[in-house]
Amino acid sequence: MRMRPTLSWTPAEDWPPGTTDPRPVADALSAGGVLVLSGAGLSTESGIPDYRGEGGSLSRHTPMTYQDFTGGARARRRYWARSHLGWRTFGRARPNAGHRAVAAFERHGLLAGVITQNVDGLHQAAGSASVVELHGSLDRVVCLSCGTFGSRRELALRLEEANAGFAPVAAGINPDGDADLTDDQVGDFRVVPCAVCGGILKPDVVFFGEAVPPRRIEHCRSLVREASSLLVLGSSLTVMSGLRFVRQAADAGKPVLIVNRDPTRGDQHALTRVALPLGATLTTVAERLGVPVDDGTPRTG
C-alpha cells in the first residue's frame, strides 16, 4: 500500500505561545556557533509563497510526490509543464532582508553553518557560503537512468524549443517552483529526455515522499553536534526532514530558537518562538549586534 507523505499538522490548543521579543535570538548569535535551519517562510518576502502560512500554497495545491512522478508519463508531463512555467518567475526571485542578514551573520563568524529546506538558492545568492541544501536545488536536473546532472537553465532552453508558444497564465507559483495550471492549460506539453541516454529527467530536489540522501542527513547531524545552538527561520517543521534536527539539538541540551509567525511542530523543544516577520526581525537583531547588512543593491565594477 502506497502511503501519502505528511503535508499538514495542527497544533494542540495548549501549544506554547510565541513572543515578540527577539533578544534571545540576539543573545544566541552574539555567543556564536549558531546553526541556521531555514524553511519556505524565509523566502516569502522574495515573492515565493510558503506551504502552510496564511495563504500558503497547500490550501490550493498538492505538491508532486516522488511516487507520482516516477509512476507515469502523464504526471511527469503535468509536472514539467507547471515547473517550466514556474521557473520563469521563480528564477527571477532575489534575496530579501532575511537572507541578507543570515549572510551577514556568517561573514562575521557568528554561524556554524546553514541548513535550508528551500530549493530556491537564495541563501547563496545573498552571499552565504556554508549552505547545505537539504532538499536539493531547482537549479539542477538529474537523469534517473544514467545519473547525469545538468543545468536547469539548459533544460529550460530545450523545453522552450520543444514547446514554442507555451505561455498560459498561472493562478499562482508555489514554493517548489510549480505553477498552478489546469489540465487543459498543460495540454500536450512535450517533455524532453536526458540528452546523454534518453532517460527520465527529474529536478535535483527531494520530492514529498522521497528520502533525503543518508549522507546528507549525517552531514547535517554533524553540524548540529558541532553547533552551540539551533536557530530555525521560517519553517513549520511539519515534516521530519527538518524536525529531526530540532529534536537532536534539544536532546543534546542545545538551545533551539525559532522565528516563525505561526506555531511550529518544534515549539515544544524550543527556548522561544519569536512570532514576528523574518526580514524585519533579523535586521533588528543585526543592528543590535552591530552587524552591517547589505541593502540588496547590485554591486558593479
Side-chain angles (χ1 to χ4, degrees):
M1 180 178 178
R2 206 167 65 180
M3 301 295 292
R4 303 293 294 184
T6 299
L7 298 180
S8 62
W9 163 82
T10 302
E13 291 184 2
D14 60 348
W15 212 247
T19 180
T20 57
D21 183 3
R23 284 179 295 180
V25 175
D27 292 342
L29 283 163
S30 66
V34 175
L35 177 62
V36 167
L37 172 62
S38 68
L42 185 62
S43 293
T44 56
E45 293 174 35
S46 293
I48 300 174
D50 64 10
Y51 285 111
R52 301 173 181 85
E54 184 177 351
S57 68
L58 285 183
S59 64
R60 64 177 191 278
H61 162 73
T62 299
M64 176 62 67
T65 67
Y66 182 78
Q67 293 80 5
D68 288 341
F69 185 85
T70 57
R74 182 178 178 181
R76 289 192 292 275
R77 180 170 65 249
R78 184 172 66 251
Y79 173 81
W80 279 118
R82 295 162 62 115
S83 185
H84 177 58
L85 184 65
W87 174 254
R88 298 173 183 173
T89 299
F90 201 83
R92 292 194 296 268
R94 294 293 175 263
N96 62 54
H99 297 108
R100 297 195 298 273
V102 170
F105 297 145
E106 182 186 60
R107 285 195 300 271
H108 282 72
L110 305 181
L111 301 187
V114 176
I115 300 171
T116 185
Q117 296 174 286
N118 299 337
V119 296
D120 52 37
L122 292 179
H123 275 299
Q124 295 91 324
S128 292
S130 301
V131 181
V132 179
E133 295 174 314
L134 186 62
H135 296 156
S137 174
L138 280 177
D139 261 348
R140 302 182 299 270
V141 294
V142 61
C143 176
L144 295 181
S145 296
C146 69
T148 298
F149 288 89
S151 163
R152 179 61 183 269
R153 287 172 173 78
E154 292 178 0
L155 176 62
L157 292 175
R158 294 180 60 202
L159 289 173
E160 292 280 1
E161 293 175 357
N163 298 277
F166 180 75
V169 177
I173 305 296
N174 302 301
D176 52 6
D178 190 11
D180 287 328
L181 295 178
T182 66
D183 288 343
D184 286 342
Q185 288 176 305
V186 169
D188 56 356
F189 185 87
R190 292 183 58 197
V191 177
V192 299
C194 172
V196 175
C197 74
I200 295 171
L201 292 176
K202 172 184 173 293
D204 187 27
V205 300
V206 177
F207 282 148
F208 283 90
E210 184 179 6
V212 177
R215 290 182 61 182
R216 194 177 300 166
I217 293 175
E218 181 50 39
H219 177 44
C220 292
R221 287 195 180 279
S222 70
L223 290 176
V224 176
R225 287 193 292 269
E226 295 165 4
S228 299
S229 59
L230 181 65
L231 175 59
V232 181
L233 303 175
S235 176
S236 67
L237 300 170
T238 296
V239 296
M240 187 56 64
S241 64
L243 181 62
R244 58 163 60 98
F245 304 123
V246 169
R247 290 178 173 174
Q248 178 190 347
D251 288 345
K254 299 175 188 287
V256 175
L257 305 100
I258 300 172
V259 183
N260 199 66
R261 293 287 294 268
D262 300 315
T264 82
R265 197 177 173 191
D267 284 7
Q268 61 185 324
H269 305 291
L271 175 67
T272 186
R273 176 175 61 85
V274 180
L276 291 173
L278 276 155
T281 300
L282 295 178
T283 299
T284 297
V285 168
E287 291 172 350
R288 290 186 178 185
L289 298 177
V291 174
V293 178
D294 290 345
D295 61 7
T297 302
R299 297 179 180 179
T300 59

